[in-house]
Amino acid sequence: MHNEIESVIDTAARIVFEARRVFVLTGAGISAESGVPTFRGGGNTTVWRGMQFEVLSSKQMVESNLPLVWEWFDYRKGVVGECRPNAGHVALARAQANQRFGSFTLVTQNIDGLHVAAGSDPVIELHGNIHRARCSRCGTLRELSDLPHGGRPPICPGCGSPMRPDVVLFGEMLPEEAIRTAQRDASSCDVCLVVGTSGLVYPANELPRVARSSGASVIEVNPEETVLTNSCDISIRANSAEALPRILPA
Ligand code: BJW
């Protein structure tokens, strides 16, 4: 079993080494080893105060109970604030900075900001960022750290309306440019790495199939089988902090 994983990692490393255009999609699993709970398959954010996260993190909840949504995200921000990037985030940041690739697109579903903290630039954040607020009326964006502390909901400095967390909740559209760029780069890559995602959430879960149908090799890094596994060429059954430093050039 051990030797089998070693040989799969070697094969993946060879494919990545020969690639010109790399596309990476990450999910909650890449931050698991930093201490950020995943949504599904363990972790402890699935239920909070007796409510499922799908109910809390929804368009309906932000419309019906914004103060509760802020409490939920302030709690989560407290957890994320204690976490630092792990070896998986760092390996991706180094590979992106490596000039050997013609392009290296990093797309994340995570809102924790750990890719940016690891030095990745640019990062396409499909589901927003927990450290930012957005005006519900005029769309003004602000880092939470730049707003007067504690006021909930924060008040928009532009128009005086209540602000909400700048995250994409169930039933909401993804930022248009982010998903458009992600789809474009997925359709023109040679290698697509799918790291730490259950692949259950649309439309991010379509990106690996877009890559594969355009001829890319798709490599999954996940300790568990997922709904995407059958559409991947290679599946590395390992934690990302262990596997990524071994398949990506520094
Ligand atoms: C490790 C590891 C280690 C562990 N190393 N790996 C019915 C059918 C199809 C679609 C829909 C439907 N009903 C509704 C929809 C659409 C809906 C959707 O997809 N729902 C499905 C769940 C059914 N999607 C939307 O609503 C999206 N918008 C949209 O579709 O707009 C169009 C539209 C709008 C209006 C009307 C009609 C159409 C928006 C989705 C936004 C999702 N947002 C969330 C919450 C963000 C805020 C918050 O944090 O609270 O984003 S949901 C949550 O799931 C979060 C994540 O980004 C996302 C994905 O989860 P992820 O990253 O895959 O994490 P997990 O926990 O699921 O998996 C972790 C994995 O890591 C596991 O596989 C582990 O094995 C692995 N792992 N340790 C590597 N060490």
Side-chain angles (χ1 to χ4, degrees), residues 26-30 32-33 38-41 53-54 57 59 72-73 76 109-111 127 167-174 195-203 205 221-226 238-241:
T26 68
I30 194 170
E33 286 153 286
T38 60
F39 294 90
R40 306 169 185 85
F53 83 90
E54 291 95 331
S57 288
K59 185 174 189 282
W72 159 236
F73 279 97
R76 305 260 304 284
Q109 299 168 82
N110 300 344
I111 61 171
H127 294 164
V167 296
V168 182
L169 306 171
F170 281 119
E172 296 184 325
M173 297 298 201
L174 277 65
V195 184
T197 179
S198 59
L200 291 171
V201 175
Y202 169 88
N205 62 358
V221 179
N222 197 313
E224 306 289 336
E225 189 173 330
T226 72
N239 292 336
S240 46

Side-chain angles (χ1 to χ4, degrees), residues 15 27 32 41 55 63 82 123 131 141-142 176 217 229 231 242 250:
I15 293 173
V55 174
E63 285 167 0
E82 301 293 315
V123 181
H131 302 290
L141 292 173
R142 281 290 182 281
E176 214 170 286
S217 301
T229 297
S231 335
E242 255 171 65

Side-chain angles (χ1 to χ4, degrees), residues 85-221:
N86 64 52
H89 298 103
V90 172
L92 286 169
R94 289 191 177 147
Q96 189 178 33
N98 189 321
Q99 297 299 315
R100 69 185 313 284
F101 298 115
S103 70
F104 192 106
T105 304
L106 177 56
V107 177
T108 189
Q109 299 168 82
N110 300 344
I111 61 171
D112 56 31
L114 290 179
H115 284 301
V116 172
S120 286
D121 182 22
V123 181
I124 298 179
E125 295 179 321
L126 289 180
H127 294 164
N129 190 301
I130 198 167
H131 302 290
R132 271 195 316 261
R134 183 172 83 234
C135 178
S136 314
R137 183 155 166 264
C138 71
T140 290
L141 292 173
R142 281 290 182 281
E143 293 294 319
L144 280 168
S145 55
D146 292 341
L147 289 166
H149 183 63
R152 292 291 184 259
I155 298 304
C156 175
C159 74
S161 301
M163 300 184 90
R164 51 162 288 173
D166 184 30
V167 296
V168 182
L169 306 171
F170 281 119
E172 296 184 325
M173 297 298 201
L174 277 65
E176 214 170 286
E177 194 187 336
I179 188 67
R180 201 181 327 111
T181 307
Q183 284 163 342
R184 182 199 67 197
D185 289 3
S187 69
S188 62
C189 68
D190 317 316
V191 169
C192 169
L193 292 177
V194 187
V195 184
T197 179
S198 59
L200 291 171
V201 175
Y202 169 88
N205 62 358
E206 292 200 318
L207 295 168
R209 289 190 199 99
V210 167
R212 195 157 196 239
S213 62
S214 309
S217 301
V218 181
I219 301 171
E220 177 178 61
V221 179

